[in-house]
């Protein structure tokens, strides 16, 4: 049984993750953490009334000796401190929270290496998104002019999404930086052309009703290609999280991208 703590358990993804861990025969939920919760035990929540799982509100209270894997679905502001804490206590982080900066990831990778702890940061745990990123990288070899449109629910804090940024980074590995569009174009409304990553434009849509969706649009002379993925339900991320939790114990470094464990 892998002993797991879920950070951000009161949130949308955290709640879905708690349900997944409880229903998985190989996993044991040994703690939940959310500074914005009031419960001292998960059993104070109606649907979990039969359980006995401590709920923590600050890092220093966590019984770290019991935890093997730290699943993090928190917020861009919290994730760095959480993952650092996990690594320093020899707990393997499985991180879905987006918004970590490149230099923060590099710092966490150094801490993981020093402590010989494995972990995974995955901007997207959905298999359709992982495939979309791989297909997009392949397509950009032949169609290097590309724009990305990502669509999310209107409660999302960071823009562009971690998946969109990661898609652009993967494409940039094989596409040389170049300006796209008319060099003389003007934005009549600032921001109309979207964010700019090495010449690729990224557009973020925020609307109620959406969960997580992405389109990568390629254009070439006389033709176009669109690759699209849709996550309609948060449960779609859970098989990826479960794979990561099961495999992370064998790693000794902090990996980025679910594809590294598939
Ligand atoms: N990787 C993926 O596949 C994937 C999929 C969906 C969402 N996400 C990301 O997961 C994150 C959470 O998304 P959500 O929709 O569940 O958000 P949410 O706002 O519903 O939940 C976040 C929770 O984190 C808690 N929190 C805040 N600070 C904390 C801290 N220091 N420690 C622990 N918990 C803390 C909040 O109280 C809240 O309950 C976001 O960054 C989102 O982009 C990733």
């Amino acid at each position: 049984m892998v002993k797991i703590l879920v950070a951000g358990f009161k949130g949308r993804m955290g709640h879905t993750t708690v349900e997944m861990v409880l229903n998985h025969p190989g996993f044991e939920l040994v703690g939940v953490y959310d500074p914005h919760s009031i419960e001292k035990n998960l059993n104070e929540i109606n649907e979990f009334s039969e359980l006995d799982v401590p709920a923590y509100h600050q890092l220093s209270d966590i019984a770290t000796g019991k935890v093997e894997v730290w699943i993090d679905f928190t917020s861009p502001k919290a994730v760095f401190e959480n993952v650092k804490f996990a690594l320093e206590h020899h707990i393997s982080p499985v991180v879905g929270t987006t918004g970590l900066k490149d230099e923060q990831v590099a710092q966490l990778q150094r801490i993981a290496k020093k402590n010989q702890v494995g972990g995974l940061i995955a901007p997207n745990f959905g298999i359709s998104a992982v495939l979309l990123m791989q297909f997009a990288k392949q397509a950009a070899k032949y169609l290097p002019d590309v724009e990305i449109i990502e669509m999310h629910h209107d409660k999302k804090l960071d823009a562009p999404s971690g998946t969109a940024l990661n898609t652009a980074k993967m494409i940039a590995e094989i596409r040389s930086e170049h300006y796209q569009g008319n060099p003389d174009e003007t934005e009549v409304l600032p921001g109309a052309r979207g964010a700019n990553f090495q010449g690729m434009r990224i557009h973020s849509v925020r609307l109620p009703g959406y969960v997580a969706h992405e389109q990568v649009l390629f254009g070439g002379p006389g033709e176009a290609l669109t690759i699209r993925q849709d996550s309609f339900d948060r449960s779609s991320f859970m098989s990826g999280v479960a794979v990561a939790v099961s495999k992370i114990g064998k790693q000794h470094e902090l990996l980025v991208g679910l594809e590294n464990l598939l």
Side-chain angles (χ1 to χ4, degrees), residues 13 73 124-126 211-212 231 233-242:
M13 287 299 290
F73 281 107
N124 204 309
F125 281 104
V211 177
S231 304
D233 190 292
R234 291 184 174 83
S235 59
S236 66
F237 302 115
M238 290 303 127
S239 52
V241 176

Side-chain angles (χ1 to χ4, degrees), residues 124-134 163 167 229 231 237:
N124 204 309
F125 281 104
I127 191 71
S128 61
V130 172
L131 290 173
L132 168 134
M133 288 186 262
Q134 290 178 347
T163 311
T167 308
Q229 73 80 217
S231 304
F237 302 115

Side-chain angles (χ1 to χ4, degrees), residues 11-13 33-36 74 78 82 96 98 122-125 156 237:
R12 288 172 287 261
M13 287 299 290
Y33 170 50
D34 199 317
H36 301 117
T74 60
N82 285 355
T98 51
N124 204 309
F125 281 104
K156 186 165 176 60
F237 302 115

Side-chain angles (χ1 to χ4, degrees), residues 25-256:
F27 298 165
E28 182 187 349
L29 189 66
V30 295
V32 288
Y33 170 50
D34 199 317
H36 301 117
S37 66
I38 46 163
E39 297 83 6
K40 289 201 166 61
N41 196 296
L42 202 57
N43 60 22
E44 290 167 42
I45 299 172
N46 270 348
E47 65 185 293
F48 304 125
S49 58
E50 316 262 286
L51 303 170
D52 180 17
V53 177
Y56 303 106
H57 310 120
Q58 48 187 29
L59 288 175
S60 54
D61 289 345
I62 295 174
T64 50
K66 288 187 186 158
V67 186
E68 291 170 313
V69 173
W70 176 293
I71 305 180
D72 200 287
F73 281 107
T74 60
S75 94
K77 280 191 188 149
V79 57
F80 179 79
E81 278 312 314
N82 285 355
V83 178
K84 185 166 174 271
F85 178 87
L87 291 168
E88 285 172 345
H89 289 84
H90 292 90
I91 300 170
S92 288
V94 168
V95 185
T97 315
T98 51
L100 275 171
K101 302 207 164 48
D102 288 347
E103 57 272 22
Q104 291 180 313
V105 173
Q107 198 179 331
L108 292 170
Q109 285 176 319
R110 284 194 292 276
I111 299 171
K113 204 168 186 182
K114 187 174 146 221
N115 290 293
Q116 283 290 294
V117 186
L120 176 76
I121 299 171
N124 204 309
F125 281 104
I127 191 71
S128 61
V130 172
L131 290 173
L132 168 134
M133 288 186 262
Q134 290 178 347
F135 294 159
K137 186 175 173 182
Q138 227 176 316
K141 214 184 285 180
Y142 307 99
L143 294 165
D145 281 9
V146 47
E147 302 214 4
I148 297 169
I149 306 173
E150 54 96 342
M151 295 147 276
H152 280 81
H153 58 88
D154 59 350
K155 303 285 184 297
K156 186 165 176 60
L157 291 172
D158 52 324
S161 72
T163 311
L165 204 50
N166 215 43
T167 308
K169 284 179 185 168
M170 282 177 72
I171 291 173
E173 287 171 20
I174 55 113
R175 166 199 181 274
S176 52
E177 181 168 358
H178 64 273
Y179 189 88
Q180 292 183 188
N182 189 329
D184 297 326
E185 73 187 1
T186 48
E187 282 185 324
V188 180
L189 275 182
R193 290 287 288 120
N196 186 343
F197 186 90
Q198 299 192 8
M200 280 175 263
R201 297 294 174 160
I202 307 179
H203 312 268
S204 297
V205 176
R206 296 290 176 264
L207 283 171
Y210 279 62
V211 177
H213 318 259
E214 185 171 314
Q215 279 185 190
V216 189
L217 292 80
F218 298 89
E223 61 180 342
L225 169 70
T226 302
I227 307 174
R228 178 177 175 126
Q229 73 80 217
D230 296 278
S231 304
F232 297 113
D233 190 292
R234 291 184 174 83
S235 59
S236 66
F237 302 115
M238 290 303 127
S239 52
V241 176
V243 167
V245 169
S246 305
K247 294 192 173 179
I248 208 60
K250 294 198 174 70
Q251 302 295 321
H252 302 287
E253 58 183 324
L254 183 59
L255 305 166
V256 179

